[in-house]
Amino acid sequence: MCQDHATPSGPSEPKQHEDDGDRSEPFPWDAGVFDAHCHPTDTMSSIQLIPNMQARCLTIMATRSQDQHLVAQVAGSHAVTSRDELDVKDGSAKLVPAFGWHPWFSHQLFDDTVAQPSYNPPESSEDDEAAVRAAKKAHYQAVLAPSPEDAGFIDSLPIPLSISTFTKATRENLSKHPLALVGEVGLDKAFRLPRQWNADDAASRDDALTPGGREGRLLSPQRVAVPHQQAILKAQLALAGEMGRAVSLHGVQGHGVLFDTVSSCWKGHEHRPTPRRQRRLVAPGAEDDDDDEIDDEKPSVGGKPYPPRICLHSYSGGVEVLKQWFHPTVPAKIFVSFSTAINLGTDTSRSKFNDVVKAVPENRILVESDLHTAGDAMDGYLEDMYRRVCHIRGWQLKDGVARIRRNYEEFIFG
């Protein structure tokens, strides 16, 4: 999720850097350009720009209580329903919806599947407002670190929603949209909650922005405890596995913990590498391109405890951690997407960008904008990253765009 997703000024143009490749070659929009991860429902006024975009298809993420219905609403008029629709060059961008609860907002959910949930309201909340406030305080003190003591800060937070209630609503959204993903979900060890609105800020906030984002507020010391984030993530991964849906996965400053959390879902379902002697007995050309040297069943299309396909969105980790995701025993198909907004946003992320792009298998690379507003800026960020990836991989531009299109279709359709 773009760190600037809720800034009223909107996105600026992508910055140019050395060794960005030749920018004079016309960009092959007609080959089909796809955004693997974006947030235009954060700025609903920009949705009207989607039909005029150059991009062929946008993958639009839900993140919190305020945008689940907005993603569903936009999907009702723009969603792709078949692979054939991606071939239609009618001048109108289409979209694939994704429904999920982002780790930035995971404190707003409570796990009601455990014996002692963090939130225990009275049976009749209308009769005892003080008891509700006490239950709410206990929840936030349990899932936030450091434990908040400021009554005003706690009061500004919403009454938590049970994970079962959210999962039920998400299952309904996924059922209505057969190609929908589960996303944006994940873990984030760096994010701190914004402070509550003060009177002056609240009066001047931009009503064009969907509520719930930071919107320039100062940050509090509080972070969401990692174990709580893990519980919320695992519930959503289980739902994705149950329904055979792909996942868009967020990870910041905890790539090892993220891998351990996700991989725990497929424990006991790992692929078994084929012994070298047995491989010699396989006829040439008989191996599956994507599952080479594997002798057990292919990744499930549904009914497993793990998602069949996972995209590491705006992947910011290093090459060594990336190798874990592509180990031959991993039963899910792993994709990696890159965005100018995140992967080139700091000197640290930019320093490892080229090496990471080179390390991803060519049939698993995706491109995204991660922007919070649709239109020309989103197209511009996509073109920028497509050009960079093609340059780094040594691909001719049109060939590279076509490769990434095939990867996107594999990620969405399986």
Side-chain angles (χ1 to χ4, degrees), residues 175-236:
S175 297
K176 292 176 183 176
H177 301 281
L179 298 178
L181 281 62
V182 171
E184 178 179 1
V185 301
L187 300 178
D188 194 315
K189 295 178 70 174
F191 177 74
R192 289 182 288 148
L193 274 64
R195 296 185 183 276
Q196 67 265 40
W197 288 102
N198 61 43
D200 292 338
D201 290 340
S204 62
R205 76 170 297 273
D206 186 352
D207 291 335
L209 297 175
T210 299
R214 179 184 173 186
E215 298 185 43
R217 286 179 287 168
L218 296 175
L219 297 178
S220 74
Q222 276 72 37
R223 292 179 167 87
V224 185
V226 171
H228 182 70
Q229 293 189 47
Q230 290 175 302
I232 303 306
L233 172 58
K234 285 184 176 181
Q236 297 182 87

Side-chain angles (χ1 to χ4, degrees), residues 110 112 161-170:
F110 72 95
D112 59 335
L161 179 72
S162 74
I163 188 62
S164 295
T165 300
F166 171 67
T167 299
K168 179 181 178 181
T170 303

Side-chain angles (χ1 to χ4, degrees), residues 35-312:
D35 189 336
H37 186 110
C38 59
H39 300 271
T41 51
D42 275 354
T43 313
M44 284 299 291
S45 59
S46 74
I47 297 299
Q48 63 185 334
L49 303 176
I50 290 178
N52 298 320
M53 287 181 60
Q54 299 263 34
R56 188 72 57 83
C57 187
L58 314 177
T59 316
I60 298 183
M61 303 288 133
T63 60
R64 56 194 187 275
S65 64
Q66 293 94 338
D67 63 10
Q68 307 293 325
H69 70 287
L70 297 178
V71 171
Q73 172 187 320
V74 175
S77 56
H78 294 285
V80 169
T81 59
S82 71
R83 189 189 294 256
D84 292 341
E85 291 183 26
L86 300 181
D87 291 323
V88 179
K89 303 174 184 178
D90 58 0
S92 62
K94 301 174 179 64
L95 65 87
V96 171
F99 300 97
W101 204 279
H102 195 285
W104 290 1
F105 311 103
S106 55
H107 58 290
Q108 298 173 6
L109 298 178
F110 72 95
D111 187 357
D112 59 335
T113 67
V114 297
Q116 296 183 325
S118 56
Y119 181 62
N120 291 285
E123 291 185 6
S124 178
S125 59
E126 296 179 357
D127 296 338
D128 195 343
E129 182 179 346
V132 173
R133 291 185 67 188
K136 176 180 168 183
K137 178 180 179 180
H139 165 75
Y140 285 116
Q141 288 185 329
V143 304
L144 297 178
S147 180
E149 297 295 339
D150 184 342
F153 176 72
I154 295 174
D155 286 344
S156 72
L157 300 174
I159 292 177
L161 179 72
S162 74
I163 188 62
S164 295
T165 300
F166 171 67
T167 299
K168 179 181 178 181
T170 303
R171 184 180 287 106
E172 292 173 356
N173 279 326
L174 294 173
S175 297
K176 292 176 183 176
H177 301 281
L179 298 178
L181 281 62
V182 171
E184 178 179 1
V185 301
L187 300 178
D188 194 315
K189 295 178 70 174
F191 177 74
R192 289 182 288 148
L193 274 64
R195 296 185 183 276
Q196 67 265 40
W197 288 102
N198 61 43
D200 292 338
D201 290 340
S204 62
R205 76 170 297 273
D206 186 352
D207 291 335
L209 297 175
T210 299
R214 179 184 173 186
E215 298 185 43
R217 286 179 287 168
L218 296 175
L219 297 178
S220 74
Q222 276 72 37
R223 292 179 167 87
V224 185
V226 171
H228 182 70
Q229 293 189 47
Q230 290 175 302
I232 303 306
L233 172 58
K234 285 184 176 181
Q236 297 182 87
L237 293 173
L239 178 61
E242 171 196 328
M243 301 192 71
R245 302 304 176 89
V247 166
S248 191
L249 193 63
H250 171 109
V252 173
Q253 288 190 15
H255 297 285
V257 175
L258 179 62
F259 177 79
D260 290 344
T261 304
V262 178
S263 63
S264 69
C265 297
W266 60 60
K267 187 174 178 60
H269 296 265
E270 294 89 347
H271 282 316
R272 298 186 300 274
T274 305
R276 184 181 302 274
R277 181 176 180 181
Q278 185 175 338
R279 291 202 302 271
R280 295 195 192 103
L281 303 178
V282 178
E287 302 92 340
D288 181 274
D289 290 339
D290 286 331
D291 298 293
D292 198 19
E293 300 187 5
I294 288 172
D295 71 348
D296 61 346
E297 62 198 84
K298 291 175 183 272
S300 168
V301 295
K304 293 285 188 180
Y306 59 89
R309 300 176 301 283
I310 296 171
C311 175
L312 308 179

